[in-house]
Amino acid sequence: MEALRAEMEAYAKAHHVPILNEHGRRFYAEFVRQAQPHRILELGTAIGYSALLALSLASADCTVETIELLPERYETAKAFLARSPLGRRVTQHLGDAGDMLDVLREQGRTYDFIFIDAAKGQYPDYFEKATPMLEQGGVIVADNVLFRGYVLHPVMMPRRFETIVERLQRYLELANTPPYTTKIYPRGDGLALTRRK
Ligand code: SAH
Ligand code: MG
């Protein structure tokens, strides 16, 4: 398990796959430990790293449903997950996270832990689509909400980041509108932990 995770970290580094960074990992692990979720929904599988990390810390009945847009990443995740017994508790979906959220919602699925880590410009949309599936007492974790610091301090920001940064600011607004409250953990690229009151 440790060896597999180390191999995945090395793979991500070599192939420039943006998995949770060192700080992000530590906070994410802490959120999972505290929440002790049973049904996790993850947007942005990448190579399966955060899914495995979560399952290694959650209860033995915990499952993860995870969505990835890129076929190559989906396949790489499948291969890595097949090498851990925890992988059996992961259901992978290939497709656009926004579209898949509609499908899952129509199927009447609910989750007690939702991890948003797919297209940064889509976070407000993900929030609107995911919250109806969030159970009482459930939490939403979002990665990269500070986007290199520009979300709180958009000084000297390259024009090409304008839309993403605006959307992330909008996300944080939504996530701080009752009944939701959000705490931002500024280490790493910024993680937001949202609870429903
Ligand atoms: N959660 C992973 C990292 C995810 S990186 C971990 O920490 O281990 C973000 C992933 O989201 C990338 O693999 C990217 O291909 C995927 N992605 C980007 N846009 C997407 C979309 N519209 N729908 C689903 N996945 C998307
Ligand atoms: Mg991320």
Side-chain angles (χ1 to χ4, degrees):
M1 179 68 206
E2 284 305 310
L4 178 59
R5 270 215 321 255
E7 193 182 323
M8 292 170 88
E9 286 165 18
Y11 179 97
K13 199 167 198 177
H15 295 85
H16 308 287
V17 183
I19 65 171
L20 279 170
N21 65 27
E22 222 172 292
H23 296 297
R25 264 169 228 164
R26 221 163 24 221
F27 283 107
Y28 190 67
E30 197 46 45
F31 299 155
V32 173
R33 258 190 228 111
Q34 276 175 19
Q36 284 299 305
H38 299 283
R39 275 176 302 284
I40 298 175
L41 173 63
E42 177 181 82
L43 317 184
T45 313
I47 61 170
Y49 184 86
S50 52
L52 266 192
L53 176 63
L55 285 175
S56 72
L57 300 164
S59 58
D61 69 343
C62 184
T63 56
V64 175
E65 279 192 60
T66 184
I67 307 166
E68 173 57 48
L69 181 68
L70 301 179
E72 195 197 325
R73 294 233 171 123
Y74 169 91
E75 292 299 337
T76 304
K78 189 182 243 180
F80 274 126
L81 291 168
R83 292 170 51 193
S84 165
L86 299 175
R88 262 173 273 155
R89 287 192 262 131
V90 179
T91 303
Q92 291 183 249
H93 300 282
L94 176 62
D96 173 70
D99 294 343
M100 198 55 69
L101 282 171
D102 292 332
V103 172
L104 295 171
R105 187 173 162 188
E106 231 152 71
Q107 291 174 352
R109 316 299 300 243
T110 64
Y111 305 93
D112 54 4
F113 190 104
I114 298 175
F115 181 37
I116 298 179
D117 195 20
K120 310 309 160 201
Q122 302 299 314
Y123 276 25
D125 187 44
Y126 296 156
F127 187 85
E128 304 279 15
K129 289 180 170 183
T131 43
M133 294 189 280
L134 185 68
E135 294 166 9
Q136 282 294 339
V139 299
I140 302 178
V141 176
D143 189 29
N144 312 100
V145 294
L146 296 184
F147 198 70
R148 310 173 198 196
Y150 291 131
V151 170
L152 296 181
H153 310 284
V155 275
M156 306 280 287
M157 179 178 71
R159 285 289 296 268
R160 67 179 188 284
F161 294 154
E162 251 168 40
T163 306
I164 284 190
V165 165
E166 267 169 35
R167 299 272 174 84
L168 290 171
Q169 286 165 340
R170 172 85 189 123
Y171 176 84
L172 293 175
E173 247 171 63
L174 287 172
N176 262 311
T177 303
Y180 301 99
T181 56
T182 291
K183 189 166 183 242
I184 298 173
Y185 295 77
R187 301 304 297 274
D189 203 24
L191 276 167
L193 176 65
T194 301
R195 300 174 188 284
R196 193 196 325 243
K197 282 233 178 112

